[in-house]
Amino acid sequence: MQSRRRIAAFLIVTLMSLAMLSGCIGGDDDETEDEPMRLIFGCSSDAVRLDPADVTDGESIQRMDNIYEGLVMYAEGSTEIEPCLATDWTISEDKKEITFELREGVKFHDGTDFTADDVVFSFARQYDSEHPFHEYGNWAYWGYMFTDIEEVVKVDDYTVTIKMKTPNASMMTSLAMFTAAIVSEDAAMEYGEDFFKNPVGTGPFTFVEWIKDDRVTLEAYDDYWGGRATLDEIVFRVIPDETTRLLALQNGEVHGVEYLDPSQLSIVENDSNLTLISVPGMNVGYVALNCGEGYVDANRNGKWDEGEDAEVPGAFEPFKDIRVRRAIQHAINKQSIIDNIYQGAASVAVQGMPPGLIGYNDEIEGYEYDPELARDLLEQAGYPDGFDVTMYQMGSTSRPYFPVPNEISQAIQTDLAAVGINATLYTADWGTYLADAEQGKAQMIMLGWSGDNGDPDNFLNVLYSQKTATVGSAGNYGFKKNQELQDLLDQGLLVYDPAERAEIYKEANSIIVEEATHVFIAHSNQILAFSANVEGFVPHPTTRMFFYNTTVEE
């Protein structure tokens, strides 16, 4: 009897244990089902600001592309425009007014309704110096791309009209850019000067936190008008070193990375757990030579008017001589940089915008590598022994056009030394670097551009025109005035016929190359790597990062 009781007790304990074990396993399954779908993306540097109208850098933009939206947006993988916060639009016969019908029922992340008031606010704070929010930003991109807009007017709660001073052939594609994203008026006015730390948009992801120099975290917006994203969370994690970024990807610490060292491409290609994305980039990497001609746009009309000349802090006397600028062009062995540093994942740049855009001039041959000619030009200019100069270089901040800035800058430094130019390399954190560039503090500076809208104006007028040689918010870091060039660029925006526009921009490209204020180095491929279980991501020609349709399959 006693033995039977022991057996019964043993069976009861065993059954209870099995039940408990079963419960534990079931609990784990429930936990797994509840585990959020998270994508962690390894970035080369941190965002600078999270206000879409007050940035010029790609790191800030890629975070905000998932928070904010504009009236129109780019189609997936292209620069063709589609409806977004506007459902329809009409353009007046004189092409000076665009009227938008707005999408109803859209909510901002703070729960407020999206209306015409938010659209007017988002634009007016940039162009109206008397606007109560205007003091909180520099609005550099407005000066680059949008000064033809005179006013944005509310017609009714869900209709707005953009009134322009003059027709602009690139305006509709420009309105899909981040600068024209719509922010919550209520949230912006509540946070004031701290709005850039507390972004509120209508996009598929809402802001959670920003830990400086570490990460920005976003989560899916449940009430997104287009339907909730599959991803529950995106983490943009800062990993400045290229090798460390790749190791993090290989170890499963992140799901994707940007700006690989070209020498790492074969490693990714040969790893079955990883996927390599390498597509031609719509970009240009250059070295700008500060000629010292700048202005302050006191009346904010987007033009260099009489009496607006301003001192440029980094103006460098030798660069005022075109022979010196051309000497530097001939001194740098671009093909060697492409072959040995980019590992062939780029092409030599001979003009200021990439092939494929209308107006690219195939007749331009560029400056051949000829150090002897470079030395002769320096001697003609009165610098037989060369000179000392400081060149800003981007340090560990990789960009699409300069994936390994330290190596590229050292190669340029070596080439310049061979013709007698002693270039001291200087770097700073990314935010300071860009601020110094816009203020004209650099004598020479490595920078570049990824196209925003697929239009030649977005390269030529932003990077090389006299209108953007504005001290404090510059886009033209060569700081050179050229009215003939500006007239061509202005004309290009008035013409809607593609063939006619192409001829205008071809002529403009010729003038830019002849002026030699920028040494064009490379058009780099757009290179990304992801874990093999990441699906649905489509690279965009502008290098912007849209994760709405992306999934991570565990």
Side-chain angles (χ1 to χ4, degrees):
M1 197 71 177
Q2 189 176 16
S3 176
R4 290 178 182 171
R5 283 197 297 267
R6 285 177 181 167
I7 292 171
F10 173 76
L11 289 172
I12 291 169
V13 170
T14 301
L15 290 169
M16 288 177 64
S17 298
L18 287 171
M20 290 173 64
L21 180 60
S22 174
C24 288
I25 293 171
D28 286 347
D29 283 345
D30 291 341
E31 273 186 31
T32 301
E33 289 175 8
D34 293 336
E35 187 71 22
M37 184 184 289
R38 178 184 296 110
L39 183 136
I40 305 173
F41 190 77
C43 308
S44 67
S45 61
D46 200 5
V48 178
R49 298 174 70 84
L50 296 178
D51 183 331
D54 196 27
V55 296
T56 61
D57 70 294
E59 293 295 341
S60 299
I61 295 162
Q62 68 180 211
R63 277 76 159 169
M64 290 187 290
D65 278 334
N66 299 278
I67 300 172
Y68 291 105
E69 298 173 306
L71 298 175
V72 293
M73 65 182 180
Y74 296 125
E76 188 173 67
S78 83
T79 54
E80 295 295 318
I81 60 168
E82 295 181 339
C84 190
L85 292 179
T87 56
D88 198 9
W89 54 89
T90 55
I91 301 175
S92 63
E93 275 191 41
D94 64 2
K95 296 182 170 61
K96 292 172 67 175
E97 291 190 0
I98 311 172
T99 298
F100 292 90
E101 301 300 323
L102 305 182
R103 190 178 298 277
E104 298 186 34
V106 175
K107 296 279 188 182
F108 283 104
H109 301 152
D110 60 1
T112 57
D113 291 329
F114 158 73
T115 71
D117 292 323
D118 300 291
V119 177
V120 172
F121 175 87
S122 298
F123 286 93
R125 69 190 183 125
Q126 299 182 65
Y127 66 73
D128 181 1
S129 60
E130 300 300 317
H131 192 279
F133 200 87
H134 184 77
E135 64 177 307
Y136 299 132
N138 291 319
W139 323 119
Y141 247 100
W142 188 270
Y144 299 165
M145 301 293 297
F146 295 93
T147 53
D148 284 338
I149 293 178
E150 183 172 28
E151 188 180 14
V152 179
V153 178
K154 173 183 176 180
V155 178
D156 58 44
D157 282 349
Y158 290 98
T159 310
V160 296
T161 296
I162 293 179
K163 298 186 176 184
M164 295 187 288
K165 305 167 191 173
T166 183
N168 184 315
S170 72
M171 185 55 68
M172 281 304 302
T173 54
S174 296
L175 287 172
M177 289 167 50
F178 49 90
T179 315
I182 307 305
V183 305
S184 164
E185 178 180 11
D186 288 347
M189 293 307 296
E190 177 186 348
Y191 287 110
E193 63 181 346
D194 287 330
F195 178 65
F196 78 93
K197 303 175 189 175
N198 300 277
V200 178
T202 61
F205 294 90
T206 183
F207 174 74
V208 176
E209 66 173 352
W210 179 8
I211 299 176
K212 193 66 178 166
D213 296 322
D214 182 26
R215 65 184 181 271
V216 168
T217 303
L218 312 179
E219 65 181 13
Y221 181 38
D222 291 334
D223 295 325
Y224 179 54
W225 63 266
R228 190 186 189 279
T230 305
L231 281 175
D232 296 304
E233 188 174 280
I234 308 173
V235 179
F236 294 92
R237 180 180 159 195
V238 179
I239 309 175
D241 180 70
E242 301 95 340
T243 301
T244 307
R245 278 202 301 278
L246 179 56
L247 284 172
L249 180 64
Q250 291 174 311
N251 294 335
E253 298 168 25
V254 301
H255 299 96
V257 296
E258 62 182 358
Y259 313 140
L260 294 173
D261 183 324
S263 66
Q264 299 170 338
L265 300 186
S266 61
I267 297 173
V268 177
E269 285 180 310
N270 294 323
D271 190 332
S272 61
N273 295 313
L274 304 179
T275 300
L276 179 70
I277 296 176
S278 180
V279 295
M282 191 170 64
N283 60 55
V284 63
Y286 60 76
V287 178
L289 312 177
N290 192 334
C291 301
E293 298 175 13
Y295 78 110
V296 173
D297 189 12
N299 60 8
R300 296 188 61 81
N301 68 349
K303 297 178 181 179
W304 191 332
D305 297 317
E306 187 176 349
E308 290 186 332
D309 294 18
E311 182 179 349
V312 182
F316 191 59
E317 189 63 34
F319 293 159
K320 297 178 182 179
D321 191 318
I322 196 169
R323 292 169 297 186
V324 172
R325 302 199 299 271
R326 289 178 175 171
I328 292 176
Q329 302 277 353
H330 288 294
I332 297 174
N333 190 343
K334 303 175 189 177
Q335 190 62 59
S336 175
I337 291 173
I338 299 300
D339 293 340
N340 298 309
I341 300 179
Y342 287 86
Q343 302 283 301
S347 60
V348 170
V350 297
Q351 54 196 282
M353 69 184 200
L357 300 189
I358 64 168
Y360 186 84
N361 193 335
D362 290 312
E363 296 180 4
I364 296 175
E365 296 181 356
Y367 295 89
E368 63 180 349
Y369 173 57
D370 189 339
E372 184 175 344
L373 176 55
R375 284 189 285 269
D376 287 346
L377 287 167
L378 288 172
E379 185 169 358
Q380 292 172 30
Y383 300 99
D385 300 320
F387 49 79
D388 295 340
V389 65
T390 298
M391 183 173 82
Y392 274 57
Q393 67 98 357
M394 294 153 49
S396 62
T397 301
S398 302
R399 303 304 305 143
Y401 40 82
F402 286 143
V404 280
N406 285 318
E407 294 178 41
I408 297 168
S409 65
Q410 288 162 13
I412 293 171
Q413 182 187 45
T414 299
D415 287 344
L416 293 177
V419 300
I421 298 173
N422 176 35
T424 299
L425 301 181
Y426 171 82
T427 192
D429 70 87
W430 189 227
T432 302
Y433 192 92
L434 293 175
D436 284 359
E438 292 176 4
Q439 291 164 19
K441 290 183 178 181
Q443 296 174 337
M444 292 178 71
I445 188 165
M446 282 177 61
L447 257 171
W449 194 256
S450 294
D452 296 305
N453 62 6
D455 194 276
D457 177 75
N458 182 241
F459 281 87
L460 306 191
N461 225 343
V462 173
L463 303 179
Y464 318 115
S465 73
Q466 67 183 42
K467 68 177 281 188
T468 60
T470 44
V471 179
S473 60
N476 178 358
Y477 308 130
F479 289 96
K480 189 78 175 71
K481 189 174 187 178
N482 187 314
Q483 191 62 53
E484 179 188 7
L485 173 62
Q486 189 63 63
D487 289 344
L488 280 170
L489 297 178
D490 290 345
Q491 184 184 359
L493 290 174
L494 297 175
V495 173
Y496 283 72
D497 178 71
E500 191 177 346
R501 285 192 87 204
E503 292 306 311
I504 292 169
Y505 287 119
K506 284 179 182 179
E507 186 177 350
N509 271 309
S510 293
I511 293 173
I512 291 165
V513 172
E514 288 169 7
E515 281 276 50
T517 58
H518 294 68
V519 185
F520 303 118
I521 304 294
H523 305 299
S524 176
N525 286 3
Q526 185 182 164
I527 300 171
L528 301 161
F530 287 93
S531 300
N533 62 341
V534 174
E535 298 179 357
F537 177 80
V538 178
H540 197 265
T542 63
T543 72
R544 291 171 67 179
M545 297 280 185
F546 301 103
F547 287 115
Y548 177 54
N549 292 319
T550 304
T551 62
V552 179
E553 302 299 331
E554 295 297 346

